[in-house]
Amino acid sequence: MAYTQRLIRLATGVAFLLLLLANGQANADTNAGGVQVAVWNNQGWNASPPFPTTEPTGELIDTDIWHDFDQQPLFNLYEDFIVRFQSNITTDVDAQVRFYAPADDGVKMYLSDMNIIDDWVDKGGGGSFSEPAQFTAGMSQPVTLWFYENGGGAWVELWWQINDGEWQPVPASAFSLSPATPTTTEPTTTTDAPTTTQEPSTTTTSIETQTTLNLQTTIPATVPETTTTSLAVTTVPSTVPVATSLAPAPTYAPTTTQPLPTTTLPIPETTSTIPSTTTTIQLIPDADVNAEQATAIATDPEALQDITAEQASEVFAALPLDTLTDQQLDALVEAVQDAPTEVREAFEETINIFDGAVDSYVPIGSTVPISTRRLVIAAGAMLAAAPVPSARRK
């Protein structure tokens, strides 16, 4: 009986040990979140620089792609530097995803090695929108975003739009240093050992065993009559098989750039009333829009409802923001705020909306005006500047 009990305890211990090993392997496979950041000193470049080929000045791990380098400089670099963000992005659902990376100055973004945003030029904010990319729930795609700073303001953000929903900052939970794939775990099975019956013996035998500790143990082999022992052994696999299904490679619609037409399409004649001024709005064929015409069109809600994105870009490019009165700027924000999405996109890509002229404007994908957002960023910068135990921000 004592011998049987020892066998049961031994089998139970082995099963428990195998279970611990399996759990440890599962925990080791958990992806770590984060973004790999590399920074290069790029002193001497005053235009769109080439990608660096040397070792970076410094590297660190961040939580997301959202940084104000004026408030939190990296490695004491304030002007003329290049930053590379690398990570893996995952969605919780199957989705069509668009990306937007406003920055001061230039950015280039690659998703699964495809260039989806190419704004590698000096600019004071804004940027272009990517074409939709297909994501499979739980399966990550590698992302690389390059940023450079030539002078003045220095910041970069990354936004996304999932299945034509609202534009939102890409959250830290969507980033991981390791690729993620959907996994399934097969159930464990229990196998019963065959039942054996030992016949009674008429003799008593002493069995002497010696261990590496030089301890001698004598176990009597006398078995009571008609004793039946059944051992149930649970088989636990040392590794849990993982069934991995690979989704087809994402496809992207090609990004095309169409040149502006050489002629200006006429817009239905409209009268916009501005305090002390009455202007008749009309685009003249074969002529560029002048500052007065651009001001009249951009401040008229009805006119912005009828123009195309190309015409809107031409109008906003001709706006003399520096000479507009406060009343004209308020009328501009009110008209653009209710304009079609393509006109608002042309406005944000053409105008530097962060220079203080249109602070009451609410950008696409945001719920607060630019002035409120600036206060939030300033408050965050003040909190980040306070002494903390860790050198990591956020």
Side-chain angles (χ1 to χ4, degrees):
M1 178 64 70
Y3 179 70
T4 301
Q5 291 177 345
R6 291 187 182 186
L7 285 178
I8 294 174
R9 287 197 296 269
L10 178 61
T12 302
V14 171
F16 181 73
L17 178 60
L18 292 176
L19 182 60
L20 289 178
L21 291 175
N23 288 337
Q25 179 66 30
N27 292 333
D29 292 337
T30 302
N31 288 333
V35 179
Q36 180 73 42
V37 183
V39 184
W40 284 265
N41 186 336
N42 200 42
Q43 292 290 331
W45 282 94
N46 294 316
S48 304
F51 289 165
T53 57
T54 59
E55 291 295 320
T57 304
E59 294 182 289
L60 56 87
I61 301 297
D62 209 339
T63 57
D64 54 17
I65 302 178
W66 191 283
H67 202 99
D68 187 333
F69 299 95
D70 291 329
Q71 300 296 331
Q72 295 177 316
L74 300 181
F75 306 105
N76 294 321
L77 296 176
Y78 292 86
E79 305 287 347
D80 298 335
F81 59 87
I82 295 177
V83 182
R84 182 188 65 200
F85 300 90
Q86 288 182 308
S87 186
N88 296 276
I89 291 184
T90 309
T91 58
D92 295 331
V93 296
D94 293 346
Q96 289 282 322
V97 182
R98 297 179 69 196
F99 291 93
Y100 173 52
D104 182 355
D105 289 293
V107 295
K108 269 183 181 282
M109 180 175 174
Y110 295 84
L111 185 68
S112 295
D113 296 326
M114 179 171 288
N115 186 195
I116 63 172
I117 293 179
D118 192 356
D119 293 333
W120 202 244
V121 293
D122 289 2
K123 56 186 178 64
S128 58
F129 299 84
S130 76
E131 294 294 330
Q134 178 63 48
F135 274 76
T136 300
M139 178 172 290
S140 65
Q141 295 192 44
V143 60
T144 299
L145 188 143
W146 290 87
F147 164 84
Y148 80 84
E149 158 63 11
N150 265 349
W155 56 269
V156 63
E157 301 170 353
L158 183 60
W159 299 68
W160 68 1
Q161 181 190 52
I162 299 178
N163 288 334
D164 294 326
E166 293 186 358
W167 283 95
Q168 297 178 342
V170 180
S173 59
F175 295 101
S176 61
L177 293 178
S178 302
T181 56
T183 60
T184 57
T185 303
E186 295 182 359
T188 58
T189 58
T190 301
T191 304
D192 291 334
T195 301
T196 60
T197 302
Q198 296 180 345
E199 295 295 333
S201 175
T202 58
T203 61
T204 300
T205 304
S206 296
I207 302 174
E208 185 180 82
T209 61
Q210 185 172 3
T211 66
T212 56
L213 297 178
N214 296 322
L215 298 178
Q216 293 185 346
T217 303
T218 301
I219 302 175
T222 302
V223 181
E225 187 173 357
T226 65
T227 298
T228 302
T229 302
S230 175
L231 297 180
V233 179
T234 301
T235 302
V236 181
S238 59
T239 59
V240 179
V242 177
T244 303
S245 58
L246 296 177
T251 59
Y252 305 88
T255 301
T256 59
T257 303
Q258 298 182 353
L260 292 174
T262 57
T263 61
T264 303
L265 298 178
I267 294 177
E269 186 170 321
T270 309
T271 300
S272 176
T273 302
I274 298 175
S276 303
T277 304
T278 300
T279 305
T280 299
I281 302 171
Q282 183 177 12
L283 292 181
I284 304 174
D286 301 324
D288 293 333
V289 178
N290 59 36
E292 180 180 357
Q293 291 174 323
T295 301
I297 296 172
T299 55
D300 188 337
E302 294 182 2
L304 295 185
Q305 294 292 332
D306 296 330
I307 64 176
T308 66
E310 290 79 6
Q311 291 173 327
S313 297
E314 182 179 0
V315 168
F316 295 139
L319 275 177
L321 286 180
D322 295 336
T323 62
L324 294 184
T325 66
D326 292 341
Q327 291 83 357
Q328 289 175 319
L329 289 173
D330 291 341
L332 170 65
V333 171
E334 182 178 357
V336 175
Q337 198 69 70
D338 296 328
T341 301
E342 59 268 22
V343 174
R344 295 183 64 191
E345 290 180 351
F347 177 76
E348 294 183 13
E349 292 177 5
T350 307
I351 299 296
N352 181 7
I353 63 177
F354 299 99
D355 68 353
V358 292
D359 274 359
S360 60
Y361 175 73
V362 180
I364 295 174
S366 179
T367 58
V368 297
I370 295 172
S371 57
T372 302
R373 180 179 177 277
R374 183 177 288 110
L375 290 176
V376 172
I377 292 177
M382 293 177 63
L383 291 176
V388 293
S390 173
R392 287 279 295 115
R393 74 177 184 91
K394 300 183 182 177

